[in-house]
Amino acid sequence: LQVFCDVVRYHSQLRFPECSDDDIDTIDFDQMHRGFQSQPMPPTELSTKVGVYRGFAIDADAQAIDPHTLDGLGLAEQPLRALIEQDARCPRQIPCELVASWTACAAHNIRRDSHKAALEPVPLANSEKIVLCLHGGAYVMGSPASHRETLGKFSACTGLRCLAIDYRLAPRHPFPAQFHDALLGFYYLVAQGFKPKNILLLGDSAGGHLCVGLVMLLKHIAQSTGSQLRPGAVMLLSPMPGLLLDGDSLRTQAMFDYVAPTPLEWPNAPMRLLYKPGHKCTDEYRKELAYPLLTPVNGNLSGFPPTIVQCGGSEVLVDDIRKLAEKLQKDNHERVQVVYDEYPEMVH
């Protein structure tokens, strides 16, 4: 494991070489984006022994989001409004994949030789639960394909189907484009007939951060409309805790984890690529990074559904993940269960 982490950390340092704001005018962020996509996280395969999957696309403009429900959202309000207007002017599609294990098929009496119905994104029963999956990859890499095998195993263990959203990536698509796509994915499932309480959220790393932000966004919209939009549960696997990190484990675990810490002072750090890439790290910029959708521990996390947070005891983010879990437990004390599982000597 140590050899593996050393090798991956080395390649991570090649992707995110040390630099400073003095170099910011020489950085071609579009070229950087193309570089990430030319060397993506490798796709994985879903064994036919486990289940099946199907790729398709969601029409973004078909999922109606009332801009007025964003009133009072703060930093993300105007950018989200602009993205909604852009979709109305220039329709686009969001690629996604639906994964169904044979276990999930059997739960609805679907045979392997006639599994087509399991790959249709509609409820197979009024009470069916489905998992909306948001992949990791530091917001600059990853896709449903990179997580296909993992979601197949998850579906096999739970008997639930999984819908993975191929949300837009930074730096070409900075915050809040990813939150917009995640929200559209949730609205899509509701429009397909799934009740919000039967939609479960699953995210790893950056996808975990996105899950937390999606719940906060849904809570804001629900308060504006008086509707019930709370998902049924949230599963966070080594979630990115936020864009402002200060845990000691960033230093003490750096020699063990494969994730190479990238200081906020580097303009090519993932958090800088997500939020206003190309802007210098001024005091005002740091204040903006404290915005709750970017750094959730600064927000009100009450009203969450049952949540589980899992991470490794040897990962660089563990201290900040603990703070996020503690904040979730504090804000939802005695209302819902928030479980925190830390696995000793495990990495990100």
Side-chain angles (χ1 to χ4, degrees):
L1 179 61
Q2 187 64 61
V3 172
F4 167 80
C5 289
D6 288 344
V7 172
V8 176
R9 189 187 313 116
Y10 171 76
H11 285 281
S12 178
Q13 290 167 343
L14 294 179
R15 286 181 178 269
F16 302 100
E18 182 177 355
C19 59
S20 72
D21 277 349
D22 292 337
D23 309 312
I24 202 165
D25 293 332
T26 67
I27 298 175
D28 185 337
F29 289 96
D30 195 61
Q31 175 60 37
M32 185 182 295
H33 183 90
R34 291 195 296 271
F36 287 131
Q37 302 316 305
S38 67
Q39 295 181 320
M41 294 173 67
T44 58
E45 289 304 320
L46 177 63
S47 169
T48 54
K49 295 180 180 180
V50 176
V52 288
Y53 72 93
R54 180 173 76 90
F56 61 100
I58 296 171
D59 291 323
D61 61 322
Q63 317 310 316
I65 300 176
D66 182 355
H68 296 294
T69 61
L70 304 175
D71 291 349
L73 187 61
L75 196 65
E77 180 181 339
Q78 291 306 319
L80 278 172
R81 286 177 180 267
L83 290 170
I84 294 170
E85 293 172 1
Q86 185 176 14
D87 278 351
R89 293 194 309 269
C90 304
R92 65 184 176 93
Q93 292 187 315
I94 305 172
C96 54
E97 284 188 3
L98 183 62
V99 176
S101 66
W102 298 130
T103 307
C105 291
H108 298 282
N109 299 314
I110 295 175
R111 298 189 337 218
R112 296 190 182 195
D113 58 358
S114 57
H115 61 256
K116 185 177 180 181
L119 296 178
E120 293 299 323
V122 294
L124 299 174
N126 288 334
S127 60
E128 185 193 6
K129 292 179 172 60
I130 192 168
V131 185
L132 177 61
C133 306
L134 303 173
H135 66 79
Y139 281 121
V140 298
M141 295 176 285
S143 68
S146 65
H147 286 58
R148 187 180 296 146
E149 181 182 15
T150 298
L151 295 183
K153 293 178 179 178
F154 183 86
S155 176
C157 289
T158 62
L160 303 175
R161 295 188 295 163
C162 301
L163 178 70
I165 300 295
D166 196 2
Y167 59 82
R168 288 170 287 182
L169 299 174
R172 182 174 294 169
H173 303 288
F175 172 86
Q178 303 75 17
F179 292 73
H180 182 216
D181 288 351
L183 181 62
L184 290 173
F186 190 90
Y187 274 35
Y188 172 77
L189 287 176
V190 173
Q192 292 297 104
F194 290 95
K195 299 173 182 178
K197 67 179 182 180
N198 288 336
I199 301 173
L200 317 180
L201 305 184
L202 170 66
D204 68 291
S205 195
H209 178 263
L210 187 52
C211 282
V212 175
L214 176 57
V215 176
M216 297 171 74
L217 190 54
L218 288 168
K219 184 175 75 168
H220 179 89
I221 294 173
Q223 290 173 343
S224 300
T225 60
S227 56
Q228 175 53 258
L229 290 174
R230 192 173 83 163
V234 181
M235 295 157 280
L236 308 175
L237 312 180
S238 290
M240 177 192 289
L243 271 61
L244 285 179
L245 306 173
D246 59 6
D248 289 340
S249 57
L250 291 168
R251 173 182 51 82
T252 60
Q253 306 288 24
M255 67 178 293
F256 303 113
D257 202 357
Y258 69 85
V259 175
T262 48
L264 188 60
E265 289 74 20
W266 295 8
N268 63 347
M271 56 282 266
R272 295 278 298 277
L273 297 180
L274 174 65
Y275 184 69
K276 290 185 176 180
H279 283 65
K280 291 191 174 183
C281 190
T282 61
D283 289 342
E284 183 60 31
Y285 182 88
R286 288 175 181 269
K287 289 180 182 178
E288 291 177 3
L289 292 185
Y291 176 59
L293 283 183
L294 295 174
T295 305
V297 293
N298 295 325
N300 179 356
L301 300 184
S302 64
F304 260 62
T307 301
I308 183 168
V309 183
Q310 295 184 333
C311 72
S314 293
E315 61 176 291
V316 293
L317 298 176
V318 63
D319 283 350
D320 288 288
I321 292 175
R322 287 180 190 140
K323 293 176 185 176
L324 175 61
E326 289 168 0
K327 174 69 171 174
L328 283 164
Q329 290 171 336
K330 177 183 177 182
D331 287 1
N332 295 280
H333 180 60
E334 295 182 353
R335 295 184 183 89
V336 298
Q337 187 176 21
V338 177
V339 176
Y340 174 67
D341 285 336
E342 184 177 308
Y343 294 85
E345 299 183 10
M346 294 301 294
V347 295
H348 188 66

